């Protein structure tokens, strides 16, 4: 069981029921559960969407798209049924926040799904969990069954005359399926290959119907926002970055864990105060601030606020909220190699820049890491990554290229040291392991 | 009674599949879960399982195999009774994931995607399993084991051998 952590600087909105047994529907009801959805029924779709817009909530899946706006894009009238799709594929390396949410507060996700459904006029929602999260799927399945047993789901929810159903779904292992259109393909029983956009899911999504797809944490925020009010939620964060978010701090820190911090909270404080500083009194070398696809920050670039805009200005991304901390002993070359190995492994192979680019970068970095690289290799890696950017079918290509560029640009010296035969870091892993890894 | 006369699945799973194909707007949506649940019961997705699932969903077998080959958790050959999946992705790597993988290799005497001769354990190096804050982590079948050390791994293996692993039924 993941250990729950806590720090005085946390602002607990979405995590306020963690550790209180709220997976049990009675407990959830005691803790204001299913009140927001009843309010939503009473007030109607326009109020829901306006409240969500006022909250400044932005998607917690990685891209940070404003949620209220996303919901408002769904056409009011549609011949085809509309759907709500909850993305619980959580596979971005360094990210484990939805894990904790599914475990401790599954009903908030169910209630959020209902609210999204009411907002867009959908009668069916799906909650999709990655295949590895079987024990969490069971928790969610039980929560859904309990909600049906209470009459909260199904026909005529809360006497509204509106029907709403939820289907839970398991994946079966594939990072790429976390991409929204690939997720829809998977849910339709196909290979998880992304679709061409436009049309966007809000217009043509699951089964060809208008679909709202949101990350599990995004969805779980909805009931809290409706209860506390959009403005009150917005005020917890920074401009255009409303509220709080779950940050998973991992790697070389003293107290790794999932913490709920206000948007805009200092990255330095998150590492040194909330997570207790660098493990074993070592020095900080670098931070990957929002899952493995985010460009790295060096130790002197961490005086930045954790929101989408400030991180963007700092040349990186807030991403999935997975903050991975690297101490002075880490070899960036090795780390970069591990990151690109992942993307090479997960590339669906559909488009050439991504398929060939990831493979080529991995091969080159493997050589550099083994001490057989040449000066040209560094430029080659940079050239390859630059040419992947924006030239692929889905954002996985960018997700592989961006961190690679960050490592090569900010730690070029270290790559050169490998090439010159002057390795500076204690290797964490041996080369044969890396080559044999995939 | 199952809708398929000669089902290869247990009555419970057959009944579950009967239900599963009815709940979606399109029955084909049941495909990925059916493949995984079939594997959970049989240990892998056998030819017979492919044939029956194709029949249940009114798909050609090739179509089913095409989907099957995409998902990394699905396999077409048996694995060990306990499939040990060690994460070596970034957060785990930083906290000794490769050491854990090495230890598993040594202790079990097998490599990536291999099975012990007695069929009890198989080993896999996997990508991030969503337990980064409790790294290094692994899964044995569907159970998470976190904050691992080589000593902890030894204890776990012994527990599974003794039939006291978390999900041993
Ligand atoms: C390769 C790839 C993997 C992704 N994986 C996930 C994921 O595991 N979970 C998630 O919520 N979003 C993931 N996303 C983002 C989704 O495509 C989508 O933007 C998100 O679910 C929208 O929800 P939000 O607006 O609430 O953030 C991924 C995107 C890409 C390109
Ligand atoms: S960018 Fe990569 S993962 Fe995305 S469609 Fe192209 S090959 Fe597939
Ligand atoms: S990196 Fe190992 S669980 Fe995420």
């Amino acid at each position: 069981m993941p250990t729950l952590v806590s720090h005085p600087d946390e602002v607990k909105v979405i995590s306020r029921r963690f550790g209180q047994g709220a997976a049990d529907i009675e407990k959830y009801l005691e803790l204001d559960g299913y009140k927001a959805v009843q309010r939503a029924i009473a007030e109607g779709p326009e109020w829901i969407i306006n409240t969500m817009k006022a909250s400044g909530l932005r998607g917690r899946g990685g891209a940070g798209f404003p949620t209220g706006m996303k919901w408002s894009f769904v056409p009011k009238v549609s011949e085809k049924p509309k759907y709500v799709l909850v993305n619980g594929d959580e596979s971005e390396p360094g990210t484990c926040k939805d894990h904790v949410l599914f475990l401790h507060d599954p009903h908030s996700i169910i209630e959020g799904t209902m609210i999204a459904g009411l907002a867009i006029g959908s009668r069916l929602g799906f909650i999709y969990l990655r295949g590895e999260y079987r024990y969490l799927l069971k928790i969610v399945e039980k929560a859904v069954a309990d909600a049906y047993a209470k009459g909260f789901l199904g026909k005529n929810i809360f006497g509204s005359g509106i029907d709403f159903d939820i289907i839970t779904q398991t994946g079966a292992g594939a990072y790429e399926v976390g991409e929204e259109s690939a997720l829809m393909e998977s849910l339709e029983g196909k290979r998880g290959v992304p679709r061409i956009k436009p049309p966007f899911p809000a217009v043509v999504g699951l089964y060809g119907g208008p679909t709202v797809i949101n990350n599990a944490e995004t969805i779980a925020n909805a009931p809290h926002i409706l209860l506390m009010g959009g403005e009150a939620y917005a005020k917890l964060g920074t401009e255009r970055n409303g509220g709080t978010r779950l940050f998973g701090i991992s790697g070389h820190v003293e107290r790794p864990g999932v913490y709920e911090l206000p948007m805009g909270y200092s990255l330095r404080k998150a590492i040194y105060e909330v997570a207790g500083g660098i493990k074993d009194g070592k020095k900080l070398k670098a931070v990957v601030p929002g899952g493995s696809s985010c460009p790295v920050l060096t130790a002197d670039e961490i005086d930045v606020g954790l929101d989408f805009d400030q991180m963007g200005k700092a040349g990186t991304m807030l991403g999935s909220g997975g903050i991975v901390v690297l101490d002075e002993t880490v070899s960036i070359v090795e780390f970069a190699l591990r990151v690109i190995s992942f993307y090479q492994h997960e590339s669906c192979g559909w488009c050439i820049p991504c398929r060939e680019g990831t493979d080529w970068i991995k091969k080159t970095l493997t050589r550099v890491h083994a001490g057989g690289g040449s000066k040209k290799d560094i430029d080659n890696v940079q050239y390859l990554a630059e040419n992947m950017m924006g030239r692929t079918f889905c954002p996985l290509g960018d997700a592989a290229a961006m961190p690679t560029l960050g490592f090569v640009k900010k730690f070029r010296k270290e790559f050169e040291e490998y090439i010159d035969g002057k390795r500076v870091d204690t290797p964490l892993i041996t080369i044969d392991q890396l080559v044999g890894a995939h | 009674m199952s809708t398929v006369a000669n089902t290869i699945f247990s009555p419970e799973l057959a009944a579950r599949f009967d239900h599963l194909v009815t709940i979606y707007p399109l029955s084909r949506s049941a495909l990925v879960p059916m493949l995984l649940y079939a594997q959970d019961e049989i240990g892998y997705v056998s030819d017979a399982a492919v044939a029956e699932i194709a029949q249940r969903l009114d798909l050609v077998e090739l179509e089913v195999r095409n989907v099957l080959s995409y998902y990394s958790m699905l396999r077409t050959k048996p694995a060990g009774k306990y499939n040990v999946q060690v994460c070596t992705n970034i957060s785990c790597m930083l906290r000794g994931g490769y050491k854990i993988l090495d230890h598993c290799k040594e202790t079990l005497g097998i490599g990536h995607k291999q099975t012990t001769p007695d069929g009890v354990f198989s080993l896999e190096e996997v990508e991030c399993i969503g337990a980064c804050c409790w790294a290094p982590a692994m899964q044995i079948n569907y159970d998470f084991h976190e904050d691992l050390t080589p000593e902890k791994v030894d204890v776990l293996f012994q527990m599974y051998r003794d039939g006291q692993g978390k999900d041993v039924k």
Side-chain angles (χ1 to χ4, degrees):
Chain A
M1 266 281 238
T3 10
L4 272 182
V5 286
S6 166
H7 187 271
D9 280 7
E10 279 187 283
V11 177
K12 300 201 179 202
V13 177
I14 198 163
S15 65
R16 62 179 254 256
R17 300 190 190 95
F18 288 8
Q20 299 196 56
D24 179 342
I25 195 163
E26 300 300 340
K27 191 74 201 177
Y28 184 73
L29 284 167
E30 234 174 76
L31 300 169
D32 300 328
Y34 293 105
K35 278 191 188 148
V37 66
Q38 296 184 58
R39 177 99 199 265
I41 290 168
E43 304 275 359
E46 213 172 315
W47 176 82
I48 303 172
I49 288 179
N50 286 338
T51 308
M52 293 303 285
K53 280 187 177 164
S55 75
L57 175 69
R58 292 169 68 170
R60 304 302 194 229
F65 195 84
T67 308
M69 202 190 293
K70 187 185 268 193
W71 293 7
S72 73
F73 288 159
V74 175
K76 286 214 169 54
V77 186
S78 163
E79 262 172 43
K80 295 203 167 169
K82 306 177 209 177
Y83 303 101
V84 178
L85 181 44
V86 180
N87 190 342
D89 193 57
E90 189 156 78
S91 313
E92 170 87 356
T95 317
C96 55
K97 64 185 180 72
D98 297 338
H99 186 148
V100 188
L101 186 59
F102 283 121
L103 178 63
H104 289 283
D105 203 358
H107 284 287
S108 69
I109 298 168
I110 295 171
E111 193 175 356
T113 308
M114 297 168 81
I115 290 167
L118 289 164
I120 66 161
S122 154
R123 301 288 167 262
L124 181 57
F126 292 85
I127 304 179
Y128 185 109
L129 273 73
R130 62 180 301 184
E132 291 85 350
Y133 282 0
R134 176 64 61 85
Y135 91 102
L136 299 170
L137 180 67
K138 285 188 178 158
I139 290 169
V140 178
E141 279 173 351
K142 172 160 191 311
V144 169
D146 290 347
Y148 270 107
K150 289 259 183 212
F152 297 169
L153 283 170
K155 297 253 172 292
N156 189 21
I157 54 168
F158 297 101
S160 61
I162 297 168
D163 304 340
F164 195 78
D165 288 292
I166 288 183
I167 295 176
T168 50
Q169 181 86 346
T170 178
Y175 167 71
E176 175 62 354
V177 159
E179 194 280 328
E180 53 191 25
S181 65
L183 187 64
M184 292 173 194
E185 289 287 298
S186 174
L187 196 40
E188 291 178 12
K190 301 179 208 148
R191 293 168 74 91
V193 176
R195 298 174 178 172
I196 298 177
K197 289 179 222 171
F200 289 95
V203 184
V204 182
L206 192 61
Y207 308 117
T211 304
V212 150
I213 175 161
N214 277 123
N215 171 259
E217 183 189 348
T218 312
I219 280 286
N221 266 302
H224 297 290
I225 290 168
L226 298 199
L227 285 185
M228 71 193 287
E231 285 79 12
Y233 182 83
K235 255 194 245 148
L236 298 175
T238 48
E239 215 193 328
R240 285 189 311 276
N241 289 268
T244 57
R245 115 169 258 193
L246 296 174
F247 290 98
I249 313 180
S250 68
H252 291 142
V253 287
E254 282 291 344
R255 286 194 303 273
V258 176
Y259 299 91
E260 181 169 4
L261 298 168
M263 294 293 270
Y265 191 83
S266 150
L267 174 58
R268 176 179 296 279
K269 277 171 74 181
I271 295 169
Y272 282 98
E273 288 174 32
V274 177
I278 311 304
K279 200 169 166 279
D280 303 327
K282 294 228 167 57
K283 278 207 204 90
L284 175 70
K285 179 168 193 171
V287 184
V288 176
S292 64
S293 60
C294 300
V296 65
L297 294 173
T298 61
D300 48 23
E301 291 174 326
I302 61 167
D303 289 302
V304 52
L306 288 164
D307 70 28
F308 289 103
D309 300 326
Q310 293 182 63
M311 294 303 270
K313 243 188 242 151
T316 184
M317 301 181 303
L318 191 64
S320 66
I323 302 173
V324 185
V325 178
L326 286 64
D327 77 13
E328 56 190 328
T329 67
V330 179
S331 154
I332 293 293
V333 177
E334 219 158 45
F335 195 84
L337 175 52
R338 186 63 186 87
V339 170
I340 199 68
S341 299
F342 168 73
Y343 289 103
Q344 187 265 347
H345 183 240
E346 300 297 327
S347 165
C348 80
W350 189 253
C351 39
I352 295 161
C354 171
R355 184 184 65 217
E356 299 301 318
T358 53
D359 196 50
W360 212 349
I361 294 172
K362 180 186 165 185
K363 282 188 180 137
T364 312
L365 289 185
T366 303
R367 185 166 65 226
V368 171
H369 182 258
S374 68
K375 279 261 151 66
K376 243 176 60 196
D377 282 342
I378 311 175
D379 293 329
N380 263 344
V381 166
Q382 190 168 334
Y383 173 81
L384 282 167
E386 271 162 4
N387 281 286
M388 283 163 70
M389 290 291 295
R391 290 196 173 82
T392 56
F393 203 66
C394 88
L396 190 144
D398 293 350
M402 284 181 299
T404 305
L405 281 172
F407 294 129
V408 177
K409 283 184 182 164
K410 290 187 181 169
F411 291 93
R412 190 179 175 101
K413 227 179 101 223
E414 203 167 313
F415 286 81
E416 286 171 354
E417 277 164 349
Y418 269 85
I419 287 163
D420 298 339
K422 294 184 272 178
R423 283 170 65 147
V424 283
D425 294 304
T426 335
L428 274 174
I429 41 183
T430 60
I431 299 135
D432 64 304
Q433 282 171 323
L434 270 170
V435 176
H438 298 287
Chain B
M1 267 306 285
S2 169
T3 49
V4 173
N6 296 314
T7 179
I8 63 157
F9 303 116
S10 66
E12 297 76 39
L13 189 59
R16 190 171 180 196
F17 283 176
D18 286 346
H19 174 66
L20 209 55
V21 299
T22 65
I23 64 171
Y24 301 96
L26 282 176
S27 63
R28 187 181 169 146
S29 288
L31 179 54
V32 175
M34 280 169 90
L35 288 168
L36 192 60
Y37 297 151
Q39 170 169 298
D40 291 342
E41 182 165 291
I42 311 173
Y44 65 107
V45 187
S46 63
D47 290 346
V50 169
E52 181 173 331
I53 289 170
Q55 186 194 343
R56 283 175 175 273
L57 294 175
D58 204 13
L59 295 170
V60 292
E61 283 187 32
L62 188 68
E63 194 65 24
V64 173
R65 283 187 198 284
N66 189 30
V67 172
L68 167 61
S69 65
Y70 178 82
Y71 295 91
S72 66
M73 287 173 71
L74 299 174
R75 52 179 178 258
T76 51
K77 292 200 179 66
K81 186 169 171 208
Y82 304 118
N83 189 30
V84 179
Q85 304 141 74
V86 183
C87 173
T88 62
N89 213 306
I90 49 176
S91 306
C92 288
M93 162 175 148
L94 293 174
R95 294 184 82 102
Y98 278 96
K99 226 189 266 166
I100 298 298
L101 179 66
D102 272 350
H103 184 75
C104 291
K105 281 182 181 166
E106 267 166 45
T107 316
L108 300 174
I110 52 175
H112 176 61
K113 292 218 171 178
Q114 291 178 346
T115 305
T116 53
D118 60 5
V120 176
F121 291 105
S122 49
L123 182 63
E124 239 181 284
E125 178 184 1
V126 294
E127 300 293 4
C128 177
I129 51 176
C132 325
C133 289
W134 318 288
M138 68 178 183
Q139 280 188 285
I140 299 183
N141 294 349
Y142 288 108
D143 290 327
F144 281 86
H145 298 286
E146 290 133 359
D147 299 312
L148 295 172
T149 58
E151 296 71 38
K152 217 165 153 180
V153 169
D154 291 341
V155 173
L156 281 169
F157 284 169
Q158 196 54 49
M159 284 172 72
Y160 277 87
R161 275 200 195 94
D162 295 345
Q164 291 168 4
K166 248 191 188 172
D167 77 335
V168 178
K169 284 174 197 105

